[in-house]
Amino acid sequence: MDFTPTEEQAAAQGLAAQIFGDLATHERLAAAGTGTDTELWKELCAAGLTAAVEEIGLLGLVLLLEEQGRTTAQVPFAVTCAYGLLAVAEHGTDEQRERLLPPLRDGTAVATGAFPARDGLRADGEGRLSGAVPYVPWLRDATLVLVADADRQLWIVRTADPGVAVTPVETTAPWSAARLALDRAPGERLGRPAGRTGAGTGASTGTHSATGTAAYGAVLAACRTAFAGLQAGVCAGSLARAVAHTTTRRQFGRPLSTNQGVLLRAADAHMDTEAIRVTAYEAAWRRDKGLPYAAQALTAAWWASEAGKRVVHAGQHLHGGAGADLDHPVHRHFLWGRQLDAYLGCGSEVLEELGQLLVTEGSQ
């Protein structure tokens, strides 16, 4: 394995670090509230960072999301790239790629995903979807939603279509989230030519295609890997703030960072952050190389959940009383870290999935 970024990946990461660092300031984030910084989103798209994801792959996206996580920039970058660009590019038909990718590349369309699949979300034989998803990140900004129904089939839903209701909700992190309610809303099957809208190869019998369920698993694994990369950045940003605080804050005539307890807590947080990063890199690298990576994606998701919450708690605690201030920048990292802890499956859930996967693979 070689996780060394290519020239293109390194250039994209450097540009992302510059844009996020310059524009995702504490003042702008505070002004955005729980909404999206539309100017920052326009700047990212104009710089070609969304379009670049198709070329730099999932590992490249992980590198870019690290930079977003460091600053907790409030833009629908992760969801548009993971649920939109990569999903359509890998699993869409030629016609879907030609029609859907250009607006996703330039930011005129925003995608998100109603993941993971829920039993209450159903598609009928006419390709109309009914059911509800309690919250979908960045749904308030989205024009397209990638929906996984109870049969693990993937559908593209347009938020402007009849039968689609979007109700804003507030989540732990300020992710412009909303509740998605579908009432016989028209859906377009991802990877199926127009005009073939049935729920599967045998819509009348309730069966579904292996291709559809395989696509769901691939998209979920890619998204878990991408959001693990985002968590690595969130943790790195939290830790950087904690280091800056403890090295400048003096107590009893010396910096807090000279206390052994502080040093050990920061060291543990650093190791946890590196574990999240390297497992996300491995999963993304294997995906880009065309190697099986389901187990690696679950491993990255587990580290992002379990280690991620440890790091953001440590970052807040190392700030002392300031860390409990809701307006302090480190508190934003705490909120993001806790949101990512549970998104797409908390630690115990993904660990159970990983165990089942290993048992299945071992019996084959």
Side-chain angles (χ1 to χ4, degrees), residues 16 89 99 131 190 214 229 252 279 284 327 348:
R99 171 167 46 89
L190 181 65
F252 305 117
T279 53
D327 296 323
S348 58

Side-chain angles (χ1 to χ4, degrees), residues 28-324:
R28 288 176 66 104
L29 289 168
T34 62
T36 292
D37 186 335
T38 55
E39 293 304 315
L40 174 54
W41 176 241
K42 291 177 182 177
E43 188 70 23
L44 289 169
C45 296
L49 287 176
T50 47
V53 170
E54 293 173 76
E55 298 297 326
I56 61 178
L58 184 55
L59 180 56
L61 176 58
V62 166
L63 295 172
L64 300 185
L65 292 180
E66 276 194 77
E67 303 306 326
Q68 179 183 1
R70 289 180 201 275
T71 58
T72 61
Q74 291 172 202
V75 287
F77 187 60
V79 286
T80 294
C81 293
Y83 292 114
L85 285 160
L86 290 183
V88 173
E90 183 174 1
H91 303 289
T93 64
D94 290 341
E95 188 277 331
Q96 287 173 331
R97 288 192 288 269
E98 183 178 352
R99 171 167 46 89
L100 298 175
L101 290 178
L104 289 170
R105 291 175 186 137
D106 63 23
T108 54
V110 173
T112 187
F115 271 54
R118 288 173 171 81
D119 291 338
L121 202 58
R122 295 285 177 179
D124 64 20
E126 298 177 354
R128 293 188 175 273
L129 300 164
S130 297
V133 181
Y135 90 97
V136 179
W138 283 285
L139 182 58
R140 296 181 222 167
D141 305 321
T143 55
L144 304 173
V145 187
L146 187 64
V147 174
D149 67 20
D151 291 328
R152 306 313 192 246
Q153 304 298 306
L154 299 181
W155 302 84
I156 300 167
V157 173
R158 291 160 182 78
T159 55
D161 281 349
V164 181
V166 174
T167 306
V169 297
E170 298 302 335
T171 56
T172 301
W175 283 6
S176 295
R179 180 178 186 271
L180 178 67
L182 304 176
D183 183 9
R184 299 198 76 249
E188 176 186 352
R189 274 284 300 276
L190 181 65
R192 172 160 293 190
R196 297 178 60 193
T197 57
T201 55
S204 61
T205 62
T207 60
H208 51 78
S209 66
T211 301
T213 55
Y216 167 76
V219 171
L220 181 58
C223 290
R224 280 173 164 161
T225 303
F227 279 93
L230 186 63
Q231 181 75 301
V234 169
C235 291
S238 175
L239 183 58
R241 292 187 181 280
V243 169
H245 175 78
T246 56
T247 54
T248 56
R249 176 76 171 176
R250 301 181 69 85
Q251 190 177 62
F252 305 117
R254 62 179 187 174
L256 286 173
S257 59
T258 60
N259 295 321
Q260 187 178 43
V262 172
L263 289 170
L264 292 174
R265 191 80 186 274
D268 286 343
H270 171 73
M271 294 305 297
D272 273 338
T273 301
E274 288 302 300
I276 299 169
R277 177 182 288 117
V278 73
T279 53
Y281 284 5
E282 180 184 8
W285 178 84
R286 290 182 65 90
R287 182 263 186 193
D288 291 344
K289 293 296 183 180
L291 300 172
Y293 75 106
Q296 287 75 16
L298 287 167
T299 302
W302 183 84
W303 276 102
S305 176
E306 293 293 311
K309 62 187 174 187
R310 288 198 296 266
V311 174
V312 296
H313 274 268
Q316 188 179 47
H317 291 167
L318 288 174
H319 277 77

Side-chain angles (χ1 to χ4, degrees), residues 335-351:
L335 296 177
W336 278 61
R338 289 313 310 256
Q339 186 75 51
L340 286 164
D341 160 33
Y343 184 54
L344 298 180
C346 65
S348 58
E349 291 174 323
V350 296
L351 190 61

